[in-house]
Amino acid sequence: MRGHSPPAIVFAGIACSALSLVIGLIIGLSGLAENNGFILNQGIATDIALHPDLMVFGVIGGLLVTEKLDLMEKFRIAGKLRISRVTVLSLFSGVFLASFGIFADSSPSRDVGLSLVIVASLLFLYYMTSHRNPGMPGIKKVFGAAVFALALTAAANLNHFITDSTELSYLALLFPVLYVMAERMELGFVRGMKSSQIRIQAAFAWLSVILAILSVELEIGMLPSILMLGSIAFLIALVLVSLAYDPTFRKLRNKGRLQSFMQKGIVISYLWLFLGVALFILQIIRGHGFLDPAAHSIALGFIGTFIVAHSPIIFPLTLKKKAVQENVTLLPIIVITAANIMRIFGDLTVSVFPMSNAISYASGYVIILAILSFAYNLKRIMPAPNPRADPSAA
């Protein structure tokens, strides 16, 4: 029935996110090959600055916006424009324009593209924090801090490449980390997190974002490092308080396959988050050698595993499809964890272990296997309807 199908804008969001992922992976794999002494496509590898823009704005930003599109369809600007349509159009046209600008060395195209990403981010911020959007005000402020970090990342990207700046790389990752923490806080509130604690959490979130953007823009001696360490301190405090109320860290009496799958994925995600934060601190102290493993520990380890862990719930809801969640398998979590271990180990031991370059490079292909296993898992969860078993499915 038509009423049970998601709006077309949802499929547009998924398609554009998928396209961003494919292009980002091709560029990232080419750059990974060149960095580790292999030859895949040197021409594409030179455009490695495209990779974080596509992954942060197009893939992570695109998926998080797409998750909300069904609800955003009912939200209109000035009573006329559907905020969902304007946000998707601005976000993905901005992502692809900015990417073309980097590829073609066209500053006007890149600037216009990033400006459109800023517009999309501010529209999403308006929706997530609006009083018309149901939710607890304190938690909506954490969502607001997360999405504002996305807008600030695009704005700072006008003058800096993410690949060239430790501080900007950290700011770019604050967006998905804080967004995920806001979602976990919604569950924590159900388990007894007090309103006063949530208000403090919101303050921590905004302080971490403000200090992060100041660390990017105030290039004065040791000030960027001090500001970034301050931002990390507020982020760690926010995460630790949230963990105390996170329902993941409790014993489930009747643990089914789905609950076990999600619990394992979320625990692994948090381990990658703490490792990534520690590596960012080492990057600040040493000044080199830890940026790539820190960024991938959080981007692939924390965010990637979190998306995989929640996929049996999120994708059926987004696509409005019946799901058999007990069909879930641990395969994608195992493979994405293996890929991240290979990448982090290879990057950290490159100067002491002869095979490190090959291990790091091979991790890129294991990531592709992780994506395929993720798709396989979704197919198991959302099987095609059998007309013989269900006459109404015809």
Side-chain angles (χ1 to χ4, degrees), residues 285-305:
I285 295 171
R286 294 289 300 275
H288 62 87
F290 296 95
L291 179 56
D292 272 0
H296 285 89
S297 182
I298 294 178
L300 181 61
F302 178 64
I303 304 302
T305 309

Side-chain angles (χ1 to χ4, degrees), residues 45-46 126 128 169 200 202 214 232 248 258 282 294 321 377 388:
T46 58
Y126 173 58
M128 292 299 293
S169 297
I200 293 172
L214 290 176
I232 289 174
T248 299
L258 174 64
L282 287 173
K321 285 194 172 186
N377 219 23
R388 294 180 181 180

Side-chain angles (χ1 to χ4, degrees), residues 7 9 19 29 67 96 99 123 134 159 167 204 230 256-257 265 273 302 325 344 348 357-358 372 376 388:
I9 194 71
L19 179 59
L29 194 57
E67 181 192 358
F96 296 129
S99 299
L123 287 170
N159 301 314
E167 294 80 14
F204 285 167
R257 180 178 289 185
L273 174 61
F302 178 64
Q325 276 102 349
I344 305 304
L348 292 179
N357 293 106
L372 294 175
Y376 167 74
R388 294 180 181 180

Side-chain angles (χ1 to χ4, degrees), residues 251-282:
K251 291 184 179 180
L252 300 177
R253 292 183 180 178
N254 299 314
K255 188 186 292 186
R257 180 178 289 185
L258 174 64
Q259 289 82 1
S260 177
F261 171 85
M262 293 184 67
Q263 194 170 46
K264 287 181 173 65
I266 293 168
V267 170
I268 291 170
S269 297
Y270 277 119
L271 292 175
W272 284 120
L273 174 61
F274 285 117
L275 176 61
V277 169
L279 291 171
F280 263 118
I281 293 173
L282 287 173

Side-chain angles (χ1 to χ4, degrees), residues 2 6 67 81 105 120 122 124 191 199 211 307 316:
R2 184 183 180 90
E67 181 192 358
L81 291 175
D105 197 20
L122 294 177
F124 194 43
R191 284 202 67 208
R199 287 194 293 270
L211 291 177
I307 291 173

